[in-house]
């Protein structure tokens, strides 16, 4: 469980937040003034870090939300073929297999930077 709780008012554009239990990066954050019907509201629009889908939510600014703790790591390509590559984490020396994203040309012994949240990984 690599996430922590914070208030909606503490969120900023470019930071991460969990929307629909998916880690997202915040693209837009706006607030509305409190009126006669309640407290100030915040509208947050985000894009999934690993699936690139747009998501949004509107909540009071004092509501609690989950913020994922996403690690940025360095890795080395051990082998690459058939659209998959085997990567070794340069901190833990753990090896894992990941799909080569479109537009990325990976060769053996290339160093890559990737994001990791629980068992999901993405090349930056």
């Amino acid at each position: 469980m690599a996430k922590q709780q914070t208030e909606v008012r503490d969120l900023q554009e470019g930071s991460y937040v969990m929307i629909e239990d998916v880690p997202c990066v915040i693209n837009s954050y706006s607030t509305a003034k409190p009126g006669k019907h309640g407290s100030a509201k915040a509208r947050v629009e985000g894009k999934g870090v690993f699936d690139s889908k747009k998501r949004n939510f509107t909540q009071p600014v004092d509501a609690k939300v989950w913020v994922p703790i996403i690690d940025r790591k360095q890795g080395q390509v051990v082998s690459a073929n058939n659209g998959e590559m085997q990567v070794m984490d340069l901190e833990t020396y753990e090896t894992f297999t990941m799909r080569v994203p479109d537009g990325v040309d990976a060769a053996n012994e290339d160093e890559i930077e990737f994001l990791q949240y629980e068992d999901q990984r993405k090349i930056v």
Side-chain angles (χ1 to χ4, degrees):
M1 188 166 121
K3 57 185 177 180
Q4 61 186 16
Q5 213 170 23
T6 188
E7 289 188 352
V8 173
R9 76 177 80 223
D10 296 331
L11 298 175
Q12 298 177 350
E13 290 184 16
S15 62
Y16 298 112
V17 67
M18 296 295 284
I19 302 176
E20 300 170 7
D21 287 332
V22 176
C24 295
V25 62
I26 298 173
N27 293 334
S28 174
Y29 176 87
S30 61
T31 57
K33 292 182 181 179
K36 69 177 189 179
H37 297 294
S39 63
K41 304 281 190 291
R43 177 174 171 77
V44 177
E45 293 179 6
K47 181 178 166 187
V49 174
F50 300 103
D51 62 3
S52 299
K53 288 185 180 177
K54 289 185 179 180
R55 296 176 175 84
N56 63 59
F57 69 87
T58 303
Q59 287 191 346
V61 293
D62 58 350
K64 299 279 188 181
V65 292
W66 289 103
V67 174
I69 300 171
I70 298 176
D71 295 326
R72 182 178 290 261
K73 295 183 160 190
Q74 298 286 324
Q76 183 178 23
V77 177
V78 177
S79 67
N81 55 13
N82 297 333
E84 291 189 343
M85 63 183 172
Q86 190 171 17
V87 178
M88 179 177 66
D89 187 331
L90 292 178
E91 288 180 18
T92 62
Y93 303 110
E94 171 192 7
T95 58
F96 52 89
T97 303
M98 58 190 309
R99 191 176 57 81
V100 179
D102 297 333
V104 173
D105 187 27
N108 293 350
E109 300 186 18
D110 279 354
E111 288 196 13
I112 60 169
E113 192 171 33
F114 62 96
L115 300 177
Q116 179 175 345
Y117 176 72
E118 294 180 345
D119 59 344
Q120 301 176 41
R121 296 179 181 95
K122 177 184 179 184
I123 294 177
V124 179

